[in-house]
Amino acid sequence: MSGGAVDSMVGTMMLKFCFDRLCSDIRLITFDDTRKLLAANLIPLDHPFVVALLDDFKEEEAFTYSMVVELYTKMKENIENKAFDDRLALFRDYDLDNNGFINRSDLRQCLEEDNYYEKGELDVVIDLVMKLADSNNDGKLSYLEFLEMLDKPDSQLG
């Protein structure tokens, strides 16, 4: 068995052990317990991908073991994928308040510093970015929305 396969198996076993210790008789854990479980299994809760994914699931009242494994697997794969390092650095450059999201204020300040757009153009650009990239219309860009925006062809960006 390769080192990666062993690490994956050990990680899943640890996840199962922690889940069993946290769950009730009905085999469910809360959102907060899911966050604790992920942190205990070395998932950095401040990583923008993790913040975005957890934000998508914050309305869930309870998590099954299979849901936790799916979240853990997605998070682990993205965090360890070095191809996303440049994109993560760019996201962090725009996330000025380090809350895991890029809001209009972050975007405005970064674009003003670039000195590329004139005052009137800046509002139009920010509105366009938010309209095209903020898929859940919550007024901020998660890391996932940011990645999707970067992958859109220029023709979709107007």
Side-chain angles (χ1 to χ4, degrees), residues 93-96 101-130 139 141:
D93 287 346
Y94 277 81
D95 179 18
L96 298 177
F101 298 94
I102 299 171
N103 59 40
R104 295 178 80 84
S105 175
D106 294 335
L107 196 53
R108 175 175 301 286
Q109 189 171 338
C110 288
L111 294 176
E112 283 175 347
E113 289 172 8
D114 287 345
N115 242 358
Y116 184 77
Y117 299 101
E118 293 185 24
K119 251 328 183 207
E121 293 176 320
L122 194 56
D123 291 330
V124 173
V125 170
I126 292 170
D127 289 344
L128 184 61
V129 167
M130 297 307 281
L141 301 182

PDB file of all heavy atoms in Angstrom, residues 93-96 101-130 139 141:
ATOM      1  N   ASP A  93      -4.936  38.030  -1.133  1.00  0.00           N
ATOM      2  CA  ASP A  93      -4.583  39.430  -1.400  1.00  0.00           C
ATOM      3  C   ASP A  93      -5.829  40.314  -1.439  1.00  0.00           C
ATOM      4  O   ASP A  93      -5.797  41.464  -1.006  1.00  0.00           O
ATOM      5  CB  ASP A  93      -3.845  39.563  -2.737  1.00  0.00           C
ATOM      6  CG  ASP A  93      -2.419  39.052  -2.694  1.00  0.00           C
ATOM      7  OD1 ASP A  93      -1.880  38.829  -1.579  1.00  0.00           O
ATOM      8  OD2 ASP A  93      -1.835  38.857  -3.779  1.00  0.00           O
ATOM      9  N   TYR A  94      -6.927  39.794  -1.963  1.00  0.00           N
ATOM     10  CA  TYR A  94      -8.170  40.557  -2.073  1.00  0.00           C
ATOM     11  C   TYR A  94      -9.026  40.495  -0.805  1.00  0.00           C
ATOM     12  O   TYR A  94      -9.857  41.357  -0.578  1.00  0.00           O
ATOM     13  CB  TYR A  94      -8.995  40.075  -3.273  1.00  0.00           C
ATOM     14  CG  TYR A  94      -8.571  40.695  -4.576  1.00  0.00           C
ATOM     15  CD1 TYR A  94      -7.483  40.209  -5.291  1.00  0.00           C
ATOM     16  CD2 TYR A  94      -9.252  41.794  -5.099  1.00  0.00           C
ATOM     17  CE1 TYR A  94      -7.090  40.788  -6.486  1.00  0.00           C
ATOM     18  CE2 TYR A  94      -8.867  42.391  -6.296  1.00  0.00           C
ATOM     19  CZ  TYR A  94      -7.777  41.875  -6.979  1.00  0.00           C
ATOM     20  OH  TYR A  94      -7.387  42.458  -8.152  1.00  0.00           O
ATOM     21  N   ASP A  95      -8.843  39.468   0.001  1.00  0.00           N
ATOM     22  CA  ASP A  95      -9.599  39.317   1.254  1.00  0.00           C
ATOM     23  C   ASP A  95      -8.909  40.141   2.341  1.00  0.00           C
ATOM     24  O   ASP A  95      -8.219  39.618   3.199  1.00  0.00           O
ATOM     25  CB  ASP A  95      -9.677  37.837   1.642  1.00  0.00           C
ATOM     26  CG  ASP A  95     -10.416  37.606   2.943  1.00  0.00           C
ATOM     27  OD1 ASP A  95     -11.150  38.502   3.392  1.00  0.00           O
ATOM     28  OD2 ASP A  95     -10.245  36.509   3.517  1.00  0.00           O
ATOM     29  N   LEU A  96      -9.097  41.439   2.292  1.00  0.00           N
ATOM     30  CA  LEU A  96      -8.351  42.363   3.142  1.00  0.00           C
ATOM     31  C   LEU A  96      -8.639  42.214   4.630  1.00  0.00           C
ATOM     32  O   LEU A  96      -7.771  42.450   5.461  1.00  0.00           O
ATOM     33  CB  LEU A  96      -8.613  43.808   2.701  1.00  0.00           C
ATOM     34  CG  LEU A  96      -8.165  44.127   1.268  1.00  0.00           C
ATOM     35  CD1 LEU A  96      -8.542  45.556   0.912  1.00  0.00           C
ATOM     36  CD2 LEU A  96      -6.677  43.883   1.094  1.00  0.00           C
ATOM     37  N   PHE A 101     -13.790  35.800   2.851  1.00  0.00           N
ATOM     38  CA  PHE A 101     -14.658  36.271   1.777  1.00  0.00           C
ATOM     39  C   PHE A 101     -14.110  37.577   1.215  1.00  0.00           C
ATOM     40  O   PHE A 101     -13.434  38.325   1.910  1.00  0.00           O
ATOM     41  CB  PHE A 101     -16.088  36.512   2.284  1.00  0.00           C
ATOM     42  CG  PHE A 101     -16.753  35.283   2.814  1.00  0.00           C
ATOM     43  CD1 PHE A 101     -16.708  34.984   4.163  1.00  0.00           C
ATOM     44  CD2 PHE A 101     -17.411  34.416   1.956  1.00  0.00           C
ATOM     45  CE1 PHE A 101     -17.313  33.842   4.656  1.00  0.00           C
ATOM     46  CE2 PHE A 101     -18.017  33.273   2.443  1.00  0.00           C
ATOM     47  CZ  PHE A 101     -17.964  32.984   3.793  1.00  0.00           C
ATOM     48  N   ILE A 102     -14.430  37.843  -0.041  1.00  0.00           N
ATOM     49  CA  ILE A 102     -14.117  39.137  -0.643  1.00  0.00           C
ATOM     50  C   ILE A 102     -15.431  39.897  -0.760  1.00  0.00           C
ATOM     51  O   ILE A 102     -16.341  39.467  -1.465  1.00  0.00           O
ATOM     52  CB  ILE A 102     -13.482  38.965  -2.045  1.00  0.00           C
ATOM     53  CG1 ILE A 102     -12.172  38.187  -1.958  1.00  0.00           C
ATOM     54  CG2 ILE A 102     -13.274  40.323  -2.704  1.00  0.00           C
ATOM     55  CD1 ILE A 102     -11.590  37.797  -3.310  1.00  0.00           C
ATOM     56  N   ASN A 103     -15.526  41.011  -0.042  1.00  0.00           N
ATOM     57  CA  ASN A 103     -16.746  41.818  -0.127  1.00  0.00           C
ATOM     58  C   ASN A 103     -16.494  43.026  -1.035  1.00  0.00           C
ATOM     59  O   ASN A 103     -15.384  43.226  -1.532  1.00  0.00           O
ATOM     60  CB  ASN A 103     -17.230  42.229   1.267  1.00  0.00           C
ATOM     61  CG  ASN A 103     -16.191  43.030   2.021  1.00  0.00           C
ATOM     62  OD1 ASN A 103     -15.495  43.875   1.466  1.00  0.00           O
ATOM     63  ND2 ASN A 103     -16.070  42.754   3.320  1.00  0.00           N
ATOM     64  N   ARG A 104     -17.504  43.812  -1.236  1.00  0.00           N
ATOM     65  CA  ARG A 104     -17.402  44.976  -2.133  1.00  0.00           C
ATOM     66  C   ARG A 104     -16.303  45.943  -1.661  1.00  0.00           C
ATOM     67  O   ARG A 104     -15.574  46.512  -2.465  1.00  0.00           O
ATOM     68  CB  ARG A 104     -18.740  45.705  -2.212  1.00  0.00           C
ATOM     69  CG  ARG A 104     -19.842  44.883  -2.859  1.00  0.00           C
ATOM     70  CD  ARG A 104     -21.161  45.640  -2.877  1.00  0.00           C
ATOM     71  NE  ARG A 104     -21.202  46.600  -3.956  1.00  0.00           N
ATOM     72  CZ  ARG A 104     -21.537  46.317  -5.207  1.00  0.00           C
ATOM     73  NH1 ARG A 104     -21.854  45.081  -5.536  1.00  0.00           N
ATOM     74  NH2 ARG A 104     -21.559  47.249  -6.120  1.00  0.00           N
ATOM     75  N   SER A 105     -16.193  46.123  -0.369  1.00  0.00           N
ATOM     76  CA  SER A 105     -15.187  47.030   0.183  1.00  0.00           C
ATOM     77  C   SER A 105     -13.769  46.521  -0.113  1.00  0.00           C
ATOM     78  O   SER A 105     -12.894  47.300  -0.493  1.00  0.00           O
ATOM     79  CB  SER A 105     -15.416  47.177   1.693  1.00  0.00           C
ATOM     80  OG  SER A 105     -14.401  47.948   2.264  1.00  0.00           O
ATOM     81  N   ASP A 106     -13.550  45.214   0.086  1.00  0.00           N
ATOM     82  CA  ASP A 106     -12.249  44.615  -0.234  1.00  0.00           C
ATOM     83  C   ASP A 106     -11.919  44.839  -1.704  1.00  0.00           C
ATOM     84  O   ASP A 106     -10.809  45.249  -2.060  1.00  0.00           O
ATOM     85  CB  ASP A 106     -12.246  43.102   0.024  1.00  0.00           C
ATOM     86  CG  ASP A 106     -12.396  42.711   1.479  1.00  0.00           C
ATOM     87  OD1 ASP A 106     -12.056  43.516   2.367  1.00  0.00           O
ATOM     88  OD2 ASP A 106     -12.853  41.577   1.736  1.00  0.00           O
ATOM     89  N   LEU A 107     -12.899  44.552  -2.540  1.00  0.00           N
ATOM     90  CA  LEU A 107     -12.720  44.668  -3.985  1.00  0.00           C
ATOM     91  C   LEU A 107     -12.415  46.118  -4.380  1.00  0.00           C
ATOM     92  O   LEU A 107     -11.493  46.389  -5.150  1.00  0.00           O
ATOM     93  CB  LEU A 107     -13.976  44.153  -4.685  1.00  0.00           C
ATOM     94  CG  LEU A 107     -13.907  43.834  -6.160  1.00  0.00           C
ATOM     95  CD1 LEU A 107     -12.778  42.886  -6.489  1.00  0.00           C
ATOM     96  CD2 LEU A 107     -15.234  43.247  -6.626  1.00  0.00           C
ATOM     97  N   ARG A 108     -13.175  47.040  -3.818  1.00  0.00           N
ATOM     98  CA  ARG A 108     -12.976  48.456  -4.122  1.00  0.00           C
ATOM     99  C   ARG A 108     -11.557  48.896  -3.735  1.00  0.00           C
ATOM    100  O   ARG A 108     -10.848  49.528  -4.524  1.00  0.00           O
ATOM    101  CB  ARG A 108     -14.002  49.321  -3.395  1.00  0.00           C
ATOM    102  CG  ARG A 108     -13.756  50.830  -3.575  1.00  0.00           C
ATOM    103  CD  ARG A 108     -14.847  51.678  -2.944  1.00  0.00           C
ATOM    104  NE  ARG A 108     -16.150  51.389  -3.496  1.00  0.00           N
ATOM    105  CZ  ARG A 108     -16.576  51.767  -4.699  1.00  0.00           C
ATOM    106  NH1 ARG A 108     -15.781  52.453  -5.484  1.00  0.00           N
ATOM    107  NH2 ARG A 108     -17.782  51.459  -5.120  1.00  0.00           N
ATOM    108  N   GLN A 109     -11.147  48.572  -2.538  1.00  0.00           N
ATOM    109  CA  GLN A 109      -9.832  49.007  -2.066  1.00  0.00           C
ATOM    110  C   GLN A 109      -8.706  48.432  -2.935  1.00  0.00           C
ATOM    111  O   GLN A 109      -7.780  49.146  -3.308  1.00  0.00           O
ATOM    112  CB  GLN A 109      -9.630  48.596  -0.614  1.00  0.00           C
ATOM    113  CG  GLN A 109      -8.388  49.192   0.004  1.00  0.00           C
ATOM    114  CD  GLN A 109      -8.309  48.949   1.487  1.00  0.00           C
ATOM    115  OE1 GLN A 109      -9.305  48.698   2.154  1.00  0.00           O
ATOM    116  NE2 GLN A 109      -7.110  49.032   2.024  1.00  0.00           N
ATOM    117  N   CYS A 110      -8.797  47.170  -3.304  1.00  0.00           N
ATOM    118  CA  CYS A 110      -7.766  46.544  -4.139  1.00  0.00           C
ATOM    119  C   CYS A 110      -7.735  47.155  -5.538  1.00  0.00           C
ATOM    120  O   CYS A 110      -6.656  47.431  -6.077  1.00  0.00           O
ATOM    121  CB  CYS A 110      -7.990  45.042  -4.231  1.00  0.00           C
ATOM    122  SG  CYS A 110      -7.614  44.177  -2.700  1.00  0.00           S
ATOM    123  N   LEU A 111      -8.904  47.365  -6.105  1.00  0.00           N
ATOM    124  CA  LEU A 111      -8.955  47.938  -7.446  1.00  0.00           C
ATOM    125  C   LEU A 111      -8.515  49.403  -7.457  1.00  0.00           C
ATOM    126  O   LEU A 111      -7.904  49.864  -8.425  1.00  0.00           O
ATOM    127  CB  LEU A 111     -10.354  47.783  -8.049  1.00  0.00           C
ATOM    128  CG  LEU A 111     -10.786  46.338  -8.337  1.00  0.00           C
ATOM    129  CD1 LEU A 111     -12.225  46.293  -8.832  1.00  0.00           C
ATOM    130  CD2 LEU A 111      -9.847  45.667  -9.323  1.00  0.00           C
ATOM    131  N   GLU A 112      -8.814  50.132  -6.383  1.00  0.00           N
ATOM    132  CA  GLU A 112      -8.344  51.519  -6.290  1.00  0.00           C
ATOM    133  C   GLU A 112      -6.822  51.564  -6.203  1.00  0.00           C
ATOM    134  O   GLU A 112      -6.180  52.420  -6.802  1.00  0.00           O
ATOM    135  CB  GLU A 112      -8.957  52.221  -5.070  1.00  0.00           C
ATOM    136  CG  GLU A 112     -10.383  52.647  -5.275  1.00  0.00           C
ATOM    137  CD  GLU A 112     -11.024  53.243  -4.025  1.00  0.00           C
ATOM    138  OE1 GLU A 112     -10.456  53.115  -2.903  1.00  0.00           O
ATOM    139  OE2 GLU A 112     -12.117  53.822  -4.155  1.00  0.00           O
ATOM    140  N   GLU A 113      -6.233  50.626  -5.449  1.00  0.00           N
ATOM    141  CA  GLU A 113      -4.776  50.565  -5.327  1.00  0.00           C
ATOM    142  C   GLU A 113      -4.115  50.233  -6.655  1.00  0.00           C
ATOM    143  O   GLU A 113      -3.000  50.690  -6.923  1.00  0.00           O
ATOM    144  CB  GLU A 113      -4.372  49.538  -4.267  1.00  0.00           C
ATOM    145  CG  GLU A 113      -4.684  49.988  -2.857  1.00  0.00           C
ATOM    146  CD  GLU A 113      -4.465  48.900  -1.827  1.00  0.00           C
ATOM    147  OE1 GLU A 113      -3.929  47.816  -2.170  1.00  0.00           O
ATOM    148  OE2 GLU A 113      -4.831  49.116  -0.662  1.00  0.00           O
ATOM    149  N   ASP A 114      -4.800  49.439  -7.481  1.00  0.00           N
ATOM    150  CA  ASP A 114      -4.255  49.095  -8.795  1.00  0.00           C
ATOM    151  C   ASP A 114      -4.198  50.313  -9.710  1.00  0.00           C
ATOM    152  O   ASP A 114      -3.418  50.354 -10.643  1.00  0.00           O
ATOM    153  CB  ASP A 114      -5.104  48.010  -9.478  1.00  0.00           C
ATOM    154  CG  ASP A 114      -4.921  46.649  -8.840  1.00  0.00           C
ATOM    155  OD1 ASP A 114      -3.954  46.479  -8.074  1.00  0.00           O
ATOM    156  OD2 ASP A 114      -5.750  45.761  -9.106  1.00  0.00           O
ATOM    157  N   ASN A 115      -5.056  51.314  -9.437  1.00  0.00           N
ATOM    158  CA  ASN A 115      -5.095  52.542 -10.230  1.00  0.00           C
ATOM    159  C   ASN A 115      -5.354  52.296 -11.712  1.00  0.00           C
ATOM    160  O   ASN A 115      -4.911  53.054 -12.559  1.00  0.00           O
ATOM    161  CB  ASN A 115      -3.800  53.330 -10.055  1.00  0.00           C
ATOM    162  CG  ASN A 115      -4.042  54.675  -9.456  1.00  0.00           C
ATOM    163  OD1 ASN A 115      -5.178  55.053  -9.195  1.00  0.00           O
ATOM    164  ND2 ASN A 115      -2.972  55.395  -9.222  1.00  0.00           N
ATOM    165  N   TYR A 116      -6.064  51.234 -12.020  1.00  0.00           N
ATOM    166  CA  TYR A 116      -6.335  50.879 -13.411  1.00  0.00           C
ATOM    167  C   TYR A 116      -7.634  51.512 -13.905  1.00  0.00           C
ATOM    168  O   TYR A 116      -7.744  51.904 -15.043  1.00  0.00           O
ATOM    169  CB  TYR A 116      -6.384  49.356 -13.549  1.00  0.00           C
ATOM    170  CG  TYR A 116      -6.569  48.869 -14.955  1.00  0.00           C
ATOM    171  CD1 TYR A 116      -5.510  48.864 -15.849  1.00  0.00           C
ATOM    172  CD2 TYR A 116      -7.813  48.425 -15.396  1.00  0.00           C
ATOM    173  CE1 TYR A 116      -5.674  48.419 -17.153  1.00  0.00           C
ATOM    174  CE2 TYR A 116      -7.989  47.985 -16.702  1.00  0.00           C
ATOM    175  CZ  TYR A 116      -6.913  47.986 -17.570  1.00  0.00           C
ATOM    176  OH  TYR A 116      -7.079  47.548 -18.857  1.00  0.00           O
ATOM    177  N   TYR A 117      -8.613  51.598 -13.013  1.00  0.00           N
ATOM    178  CA  TYR A 117      -9.929  52.117 -13.388  1.00  0.00           C
ATOM    179  C   TYR A 117     -10.118  53.539 -12.889  1.00  0.00           C
ATOM    180  O   TYR A 117      -9.636  53.913 -11.829  1.00  0.00           O
ATOM    181  CB  TYR A 117     -11.042  51.238 -12.801  1.00  0.00           C
ATOM    182  CG  TYR A 117     -11.002  49.823 -13.283  1.00  0.00           C
ATOM    183  CD1 TYR A 117     -10.467  48.808 -12.493  1.00  0.00           C
ATOM    184  CD2 TYR A 117     -11.490  49.486 -14.541  1.00  0.00           C
ATOM    185  CE1 TYR A 117     -10.427  47.499 -12.948  1.00  0.00           C
ATOM    186  CE2 TYR A 117     -11.442  48.175 -14.994  1.00  0.00           C
ATOM    187  CZ  TYR A 117     -10.910  47.200 -14.195  1.00  0.00           C
ATOM    188  OH  TYR A 117     -10.857  45.906 -14.643  1.00  0.00           O
ATOM    189  N   GLU A 118     -10.874  54.328 -13.659  1.00  0.00           N
ATOM    190  CA  GLU A 118     -11.254  55.655 -13.204  1.00  0.00           C
ATOM    191  C   GLU A 118     -12.424  55.523 -12.237  1.00  0.00           C
ATOM    192  O   GLU A 118     -13.099  54.489 -12.197  1.00  0.00           O
ATOM    193  CB  GLU A 118     -11.626  56.527 -14.398  1.00  0.00           C
ATOM    194  CG  GLU A 118     -10.420  56.823 -15.296  1.00  0.00           C
ATOM    195  CD  GLU A 118     -10.754  57.780 -16.413  1.00  0.00           C
ATOM    196  OE1 GLU A 118     -11.722  58.556 -16.269  1.00  0.00           O
ATOM    197  OE2 GLU A 118     -10.047  57.740 -17.428  1.00  0.00           O
ATOM    198  N   LYS A 119     -12.694  56.572 -11.475  1.00  0.00           N
ATOM    199  CA  LYS A 119     -13.728  56.539 -10.438  1.00  0.00           C
ATOM    200  C   LYS A 119     -15.070  55.988 -10.936  1.00  0.00           C
ATOM    201  O   LYS A 119     -15.626  55.089 -10.344  1.00  0.00           O
ATOM    202  CB  LYS A 119     -13.955  57.938  -9.891  1.00  0.00           C
ATOM    203  CG  LYS A 119     -13.523  58.307  -8.525  1.00  0.00           C
ATOM    204  CD  LYS A 119     -13.521  57.296  -7.467  1.00  0.00           C
ATOM    205  CE  LYS A 119     -13.111  57.947  -6.162  1.00  0.00           C
ATOM    206  NZ  LYS A 119     -12.505  57.034  -5.265  1.00  0.00           N
ATOM    207  N   GLY A 120     -15.593  56.515 -12.027  1.00  0.00           N
ATOM    208  CA  GLY A 120     -16.888  56.075 -12.548  1.00  0.00           C
ATOM    209  C   GLY A 120     -16.880  54.640 -13.026  1.00  0.00           C
ATOM    210  O   GLY A 120     -17.872  53.929 -12.910  1.00  0.00           O
ATOM    211  N   GLU A 121     -15.759  54.207 -13.561  1.00  0.00           N
ATOM    212  CA  GLU A 121     -15.641  52.835 -14.056  1.00  0.00           C
ATOM    213  C   GLU A 121     -15.585  51.823 -12.914  1.00  0.00           C
ATOM    214  O   GLU A 121     -16.057  50.704 -13.045  1.00  0.00           O
ATOM    215  CB  GLU A 121     -14.368  52.663 -14.896  1.00  0.00           C
ATOM    216  CG  GLU A 121     -14.354  53.425 -16.187  1.00  0.00           C
ATOM    217  CD  GLU A 121     -13.019  53.277 -16.900  1.00  0.00           C
ATOM    218  OE1 GLU A 121     -11.967  53.299 -16.228  1.00  0.00           O
ATOM    219  OE2 GLU A 121     -13.052  53.126 -18.136  1.00  0.00           O
ATOM    220  N   LEU A 122     -15.010  52.248 -11.805  1.00  0.00           N
ATOM    221  CA  LEU A 122     -14.803  51.347 -10.674  1.00  0.00           C
ATOM    222  C   LEU A 122     -16.115  50.762 -10.171  1.00  0.00           C
ATOM    223  O   LEU A 122     -16.222  49.547  -9.953  1.00  0.00           O
ATOM    224  CB  LEU A 122     -14.080  52.095  -9.560  1.00  0.00           C
ATOM    225  CG  LEU A 122     -13.479  51.270  -8.440  1.00  0.00           C
ATOM    226  CD1 LEU A 122     -12.518  50.227  -8.970  1.00  0.00           C
ATOM    227  CD2 LEU A 122     -12.762  52.172  -7.456  1.00  0.00           C
ATOM    228  N   ASP A 123     -17.133  51.584 -10.002  1.00  0.00           N
ATOM    229  CA  ASP A 123     -18.435  51.096  -9.536  1.00  0.00           C
ATOM    230  C   ASP A 123     -19.034  50.109 -10.522  1.00  0.00           C
ATOM    231  O   ASP A 123     -19.613  49.088 -10.118  1.00  0.00           O
ATOM    232  CB  ASP A 123     -19.402  52.260  -9.308  1.00  0.00           C
ATOM    233  CG  ASP A 123     -19.002  53.116  -8.117  1.00  0.00           C
ATOM    234  OD1 ASP A 123     -18.398  52.574  -7.177  1.00  0.00           O
ATOM    235  OD2 ASP A 123     -19.295  54.322  -8.141  1.00  0.00           O
ATOM    236  N   VAL A 124     -18.893  50.387 -11.802  1.00  0.00           N
ATOM    237  CA  VAL A 124     -19.420  49.497 -12.838  1.00  0.00           C
ATOM    238  C   VAL A 124     -18.713  48.145 -12.784  1.00  0.00           C
ATOM    239  O   VAL A 124     -19.346  47.091 -12.854  1.00  0.00           O
ATOM    240  CB  VAL A 124     -19.268  50.143 -14.242  1.00  0.00           C
ATOM    241  CG1 VAL A 124     -19.647  49.164 -15.339  1.00  0.00           C
ATOM    242  CG2 VAL A 124     -20.108  51.401 -14.333  1.00  0.00           C
ATOM    243  N   VAL A 125     -17.395  48.171 -12.646  1.00  0.00           N
ATOM    244  CA  VAL A 125     -16.607  46.928 -12.585  1.00  0.00           C
ATOM    245  C   VAL A 125     -16.987  46.113 -11.345  1.00  0.00           C
ATOM    246  O   VAL A 125     -17.205  44.900 -11.431  1.00  0.00           O
ATOM    247  CB  VAL A 125     -15.094  47.233 -12.605  1.00  0.00           C
ATOM    248  CG1 VAL A 125     -14.282  45.991 -12.299  1.00  0.00           C
ATOM    249  CG2 VAL A 125     -14.697  47.823 -13.951  1.00  0.00           C
ATOM    250  N   ILE A 126     -17.086  46.763 -10.196  1.00  0.00           N
ATOM    251  CA  ILE A 126     -17.450  46.063  -8.956  1.00  0.00           C
ATOM    252  C   ILE A 126     -18.846  45.458  -9.085  1.00  0.00           C
ATOM    253  O   ILE A 126     -19.063  44.298  -8.717  1.00  0.00           O
ATOM    254  CB  ILE A 126     -17.347  47.007  -7.746  1.00  0.00           C
ATOM    255  CG1 ILE A 126     -15.878  47.357  -7.498  1.00  0.00           C
ATOM    256  CG2 ILE A 126     -17.975  46.376  -6.505  1.00  0.00           C
ATOM    257  CD1 ILE A 126     -15.669  48.467  -6.494  1.00  0.00           C
ATOM    258  N   ASP A 127     -19.797  46.227  -9.609  1.00  0.00           N
ATOM    259  CA  ASP A 127     -21.158  45.711  -9.811  1.00  0.00           C
ATOM    260  C   ASP A 127     -21.147  44.492 -10.731  1.00  0.00           C
ATOM    261  O   ASP A 127     -21.835  43.501 -10.469  1.00  0.00           O
ATOM    262  CB  ASP A 127     -22.076  46.784 -10.401  1.00  0.00           C
ATOM    263  CG  ASP A 127     -22.418  47.886  -9.401  1.00  0.00           C
ATOM    264  OD1 ASP A 127     -22.218  47.682  -8.181  1.00  0.00           O
ATOM    265  OD2 ASP A 127     -22.874  48.955  -9.850  1.00  0.00           O
ATOM    266  N   LEU A 128     -20.366  44.560 -11.797  1.00  0.00           N
ATOM    267  CA  LEU A 128     -20.291  43.460 -12.755  1.00  0.00           C
ATOM    268  C   LEU A 128     -19.673  42.215 -12.126  1.00  0.00           C
ATOM    269  O   LEU A 128     -20.194  41.107 -12.276  1.00  0.00           O
ATOM    270  CB  LEU A 128     -19.491  43.882 -13.992  1.00  0.00           C
ATOM    271  CG  LEU A 128     -19.399  42.869 -15.123  1.00  0.00           C
ATOM    272  CD1 LEU A 128     -20.782  42.537 -15.672  1.00  0.00           C
ATOM    273  CD2 LEU A 128     -18.495  43.388 -16.232  1.00  0.00           C
ATOM    274  N   VAL A 129     -18.590  42.404 -11.406  1.00  0.00           N
ATOM    275  CA  VAL A 129     -17.939  41.263 -10.731  1.00  0.00           C
ATOM    276  C   VAL A 129     -18.914  40.603  -9.768  1.00  0.00           C
ATOM    277  O   VAL A 129     -19.065  39.376  -9.753  1.00  0.00           O
ATOM    278  CB  VAL A 129     -16.651  41.706  -9.997  1.00  0.00           C
ATOM    279  CG1 VAL A 129     -16.154  40.621  -9.056  1.00  0.00           C
ATOM    280  CG2 VAL A 129     -15.570  42.081 -10.999  1.00  0.00           C
ATOM    281  N   MET A 130     -19.583  41.399  -8.966  1.00  0.00           N
ATOM    282  CA  MET A 130     -20.516  40.830  -7.987  1.00  0.00           C
ATOM    283  C   MET A 130     -21.699  40.157  -8.676  1.00  0.00           C
ATOM    284  O   MET A 130     -22.150  39.096  -8.256  1.00  0.00           O
ATOM    285  CB  MET A 130     -20.992  41.901  -7.010  1.00  0.00           C
ATOM    286  CG  MET A 130     -19.873  42.494  -6.154  1.00  0.00           C
ATOM    287  SD  MET A 130     -18.878  41.278  -5.262  1.00  0.00           S
ATOM    288  CE  MET A 130     -19.952  40.904  -3.908  1.00  0.00           C
ATOM    289  N   GLY A 139     -23.726  39.003  -1.285  1.00  0.00           N
ATOM    290  CA  GLY A 139     -22.965  40.238  -1.209  1.00  0.00           C
ATOM    291  C   GLY A 139     -21.475  40.065  -0.977  1.00  0.00           C
ATOM    292  O   GLY A 139     -20.780  41.032  -0.682  1.00  0.00           O
ATOM    293  N   LEU A 141     -17.892  37.308  -2.076  1.00  0.00           N
ATOM    294  CA  LEU A 141     -17.396  36.189  -2.872  1.00  0.00           C
ATOM    295  C   LEU A 141     -16.674  35.204  -1.967  1.00  0.00           C
ATOM    296  O   LEU A 141     -15.724  35.577  -1.270  1.00  0.00           O
ATOM    297  CB  LEU A 141     -16.410  36.671  -3.950  1.00  0.00           C
ATOM    298  CG  LEU A 141     -16.925  37.682  -4.960  1.00  0.00           C
ATOM    299  CD1 LEU A 141     -15.835  38.016  -5.976  1.00  0.00           C
ATOM    300  CD2 LEU A 141     -18.160  37.163  -5.655  1.00  0.00           C
TER     301      LEU A 141
END
